[in-house]
Structure formats: structure tokens, C-alpha cells
Amino acid sequence: MAGEQVTGRQVLVVVAVLVGVGVFWVLFVVGYLFFSSAQVERSEARASASASAAGVQVGAPCPADVEHLDEILAIGQANSLPEGAEVVSVEPAVNFAEAYPGGWGYVIEFTASDQAIRDYTETYTVVSGSNIEMHSEATPVSKTDGLEDIDVQNVSNPMRTRLREAVLVLERPLGRGWLVIRGGSM
């Protein structure tokens, strides 16, 4: 070997091998970083989905569940539901939160008697309890109009009105309603 002369071809092969090894390591590191970040994003998405499924929303004062109903009602300054109302569900306002950055909210579905709903509407809204049937039908107008988390397609003749810091949606004939309480950073 001593005395052998290095040819240009041998130098070219060595340089090509070194460049190939360098490119391999660069691609390996870039791929590793890409897949690691994708895995972190998937983990964060799963954690967020689990939190939403559990009724927990980022920035919300409490979980969206029946156990926290009194706290939720206090947020919307509603403090109550119609007399004798049965709570069907308390859900997070997921669509509102997606449409309004920093937003969170609650959708309380309830049932109550016709008269209890009329009395409640008369007391807490600008709609007269005796004129509920004459109030215009609610149709979605924007992504944050209070109807975004209620499937109004499955509500007969829905009515929407403001209730202090909340939105009240009623089905007509009366018997079922939704109280939507929302908040978030402005």
C-alpha cells in the first residue's frame, strides 16, 4: 500500500460515500423531528378530545356536568331554570369554543311544564310568557349566535331570546328548552 498512488476516481468515491452518509444523517434527524412533533400533536389532540368528552374546557370555570349546575347557572347570571325543570344534560359548548378563540360555554338542556316555561320567560326575558307563540322562529345567523351548539334541525319551531348573560332557546309547543351560557377572553 505504501507507494500506491491515490487516483481521482478513489477520491471521488470517498467523497461520494461521505456525502451519502451525511445526507442519510440529515434525513434521519429531520424525519425523527417530524415524527416526534406529529406524535406530540396527536397526544395533545387526544388530551384535548378527552377533556372535551369529560366536559372540561380550556378557560372554563368548571366542568360541564350536572354536578356543577349551580356554579354554571351563577356564571350566566341566570341562577335558575324554570320551576320544576328536569335537567336532561349539561354539555360543553364545543362549536362556540371552536368558532370563538378563547371561548368556552355550557349548554343546559331541560324539560319543564308549559306554564313553568311561560312564567320563567316572563320573569327573566323581554318576551312575554303569553306571546311566546308569536315570537319569530330562531334560525342560525352566525357561528356564535347561541344556536351553534344546538341541533335546531331537530327542534320544532325554535325560539331564541337573550337572558341576561345567556341565551334561552325554547321548543314550541313548550316543554323542552336549552340555556346556553358562554364566556371567554375578549
Side-chain angles (χ1 to χ4, degrees), residues 12 34 48 51 57 71 74 79 97-98 102 122 125 165 183:
L12 187 59
F34 173 75
S48 177
Q57 303 170 81
E71 292 171 69
N79 296 322
E98 287 177 5
E122 184 84 34
T125 74
E165 301 295 318

Side-chain angles (χ1 to χ4, degrees), residues 114-115 117-118 121 127-137 157-159 170-175:
D114 178 288
Q115 191 58 52
I117 291 173
R118 288 180 192 283
T121 305
V127 177
S128 169
S130 60
N131 294 331
I132 289 176
E133 284 75 21
M134 292 182 279
H135 201 275
S136 62
E137 184 168 304
N157 196 16
M159 181 197 95
L170 299 173
E171 180 173 54
R172 297 173 288 188
L174 297 175

Side-chain angles (χ1 to χ4, degrees), residues 21-82:
V21 169
V23 167
F24 169 77
W25 281 109
V26 167
L27 291 175
F28 176 79
V29 169
V30 168
Y32 178 78
L33 292 174
F34 173 75
F35 287 117
S36 293
S37 69
Q39 189 174 18
V40 167
E41 287 175 11
R42 282 193 301 271
S43 295
E44 289 173 353
R46 276 193 298 267
S48 177
S50 296
S52 290
V56 179
Q57 303 170 81
V58 175
C62 58
D65 57 35
V66 177
E67 288 80 31
H68 292 88
L69 183 61
D70 290 337
E71 292 171 69
I72 294 168
L73 289 172
I75 295 165
Q77 296 179 351
N79 296 322
S80 68
L81 291 171

Side-chain angles (χ1 to χ4, degrees), residues 168-180:
L168 178 64
V169 178
L170 299 173
E171 180 173 54
R172 297 173 288 188
L174 297 175
R176 186 167 66 148
W178 296 262
L179 184 60
V180 183

Side-chain angles (χ1 to χ4, degrees), residues 42 57 62-63 96 106 111 132 155 163 182:
R42 282 193 301 271
Q57 303 170 81
C62 58
F96 174 72
Y106 306 94
T111 58
I132 289 176
V155 177
L163 177 88
R182 302 172 304 175

Side-chain angles (χ1 to χ4, degrees), residues 84-124:
E86 295 286 329
V87 175
V88 174
S89 66
V90 178
E91 302 289 332
V94 177
N95 294 330
F96 174 72
E98 287 177 5
Y100 187 84
W104 48 265
Y106 306 94
V107 179
I108 304 165
E109 182 179 357
F110 63 89
T111 58
S113 71
D114 178 288
Q115 191 58 52
I117 291 173
R118 288 180 192 283
D119 294 344
Y120 183 77
T121 305
E122 184 84 34
T123 303
Y124 294 105

